[in-house]
Amino acid sequence: QVQFVESGGGSVQAGGSLRLSCEVSGYNYQLYCVGWFRQAPGKEREEVATIDNYDRTQYARNLQGRFTISQDNGKNTAYLQMNSLKPEDTAMYFCATEGCRATWSDFGYWGQGTQVTVSS
């Protein structure tokens, strides 16, 4: 089975930074794409960023360049660097994976999520 170990979430003051990690096991990581998503209380789940097996990336436009997705294929791990965090970034952040022909809405394997809380 595909398994996720997500880490790096926590509480930070506005303007701070966090780096989320998502280690995926149980499949051939190099043939899959990874996405980061988030969901705040009372809000719909939102796409944050994706990365494919050629390290091509895609971001939600409203992040204004503050977030960066990357990966280490040798460690089967994807990262989300979050800078200049704002209170509106507070959400549960989820790592997801799917074969690299997936669209943003096609991700079929999901981690349990890690909470990010940004205080003013």
Side-chain angles (χ1 to χ4, degrees), residues 13-18 63 66-67 82-87 89 118:
Q13 291 185 342
S17 298
L18 288 172
L63 294 178
R66 296 182 296 114
F67 290 11
M82 305 184 294
N83 298 325
S84 301
L85 284 163
K86 304 174 181 180
D89 295 319
V118 184

Side-chain angles (χ1 to χ4, degrees), residues 31-91:
L31 298 179
Y32 279 69
C33 294
V34 177
W36 285 99
F37 300 77
R38 68 185 184 183
Q39 187 168 25
K43 300 292 185 180
E44 187 175 320
R45 188 168 63 194
E46 175 187 20
E47 299 97 342
V48 174
T50 61
I51 188 165
D52 70 11
N53 53 331
Y54 297 101
D55 287 336
R56 295 177 297 193
T57 59
Q58 186 173 8
Y59 297 91
R61 290 178 295 173
N62 62 359
L63 294 178
Q64 301 180 25
R66 296 182 296 114
F67 290 11
T68 302
I69 188 170
S70 61
Q71 65 188 350
D72 184 337
N73 290 324
K75 297 185 180 298
N76 291 0
T77 301
Y79 306 93
L80 184 68
Q81 178 69 44
M82 305 184 294
N83 298 325
S84 301
L85 284 163
K86 304 174 181 180
E88 53 262 43
D89 295 319
T90 295

